[in-house]
Amino acid sequence: TNENMLAFANGQPIPHIINNIFVPTFGMVGGTGSTISLLIAIFIFSRQKSAKQVARLSLAPGLFNINEPVIFGMPVMLNPILAIPFIITPLVTGSIGYFATVTGFAGKAVVMVPWTTPPLINAWLSTAGSMGAVITQFICIVTAVIIYLPFVKIASRRAEQAALQQATDNA
């Protein structure tokens, strides 16, 4: 990170693609596990009222990369269904960001921005104004929504089945 910042400040070629700035810019958009995409997937595809309520409460902090409300509210922790995309998504989005940077579409990360900088803005700022980085981060968000989608549907279906079973047991 420091070498990239120094090279940028001196007008030299940027030496590194992966650094402390790259990871939150492309690998963990919206916090660890790219949970901003989980929230979007819940809003669009979940039929579960409690999940939508957690997503509503988690949206404002999620926009600033604070994802504890969704991690513990869904819960993602100790949940084998949601843990799978939580682990896989940063690997996929980080690879997309790496490919976009290697090909020159996205600029290299050269500016250390606060970790609470919202998505898309942090891509713009951390790459010193690379529109390709903003587009790449948007692609990462959409890709992560697609990755989370089947798992959100499974979790929603299981919650509905559990509610039906509880209603049947109570009757």
Side-chain angles (χ1 to χ4, degrees):
T1 300
N2 288 338
E3 290 175 7
N4 278 13
M5 291 168 57
L6 186 59
F8 178 73
N10 292 322
Q12 298 171 344
I14 310 305
H16 307 290
I17 292 175
I18 297 178
N19 56 29
N20 284 1
I21 308 163
F22 176 88
V23 174
T25 303
F26 298 112
M28 295 188 287
V29 183
T32 304
S34 298
T35 52
I36 196 76
S37 298
L38 170 59
L39 296 175
I40 294 167
I42 290 169
F43 283 128
I44 296 173
F45 301 107
S46 181
R47 297 179 304 207
Q48 188 182 2
K49 289 181 183 179
S50 62
K52 286 195 179 219
Q53 181 65 27
V54 169
R56 273 193 292 279
L57 294 171
S58 302
L59 183 60
L63 289 175
F64 296 95
N65 301 320
I66 300 167
N67 61 356
E68 286 80 4
V70 70
I71 287 175
F72 296 106
M74 278 305 293
V76 173
M77 300 304 293
L78 303 175
N79 182 338
I81 296 169
L82 293 178
I84 294 168
F86 184 82
I87 294 167
I88 292 172
T89 299
L91 299 171
V92 172
T93 58
S95 297
I96 292 169
Y98 184 81
F99 179 74
T101 307
V102 165
T103 61
F105 181 73
K108 293 180 181 176
V110 295
V111 179
M112 192 68 147
V113 296
W115 66 272
T116 54
T117 306
L120 304 180
I121 296 170
N122 79 337
W124 175 261
L125 294 176
S126 67
T127 58
S130 169
M131 194 60 190
V134 175
I135 293 167
T136 301
Q137 192 179 66
F138 181 77
I139 291 167
C140 289
I141 292 169
V142 171
T143 301
V145 170
I146 293 167
I147 292 169
Y148 271 110
L149 171 63
F151 296 95
V152 167
K153 286 184 174 185
I154 291 168
S156 181
R157 206 172 318 123
R158 284 197 174 181
E160 289 172 4
Q161 290 171 348
L164 273 170
Q165 183 64 37
Q166 187 174 9
T168 303
D169 292 347
N170 290 340

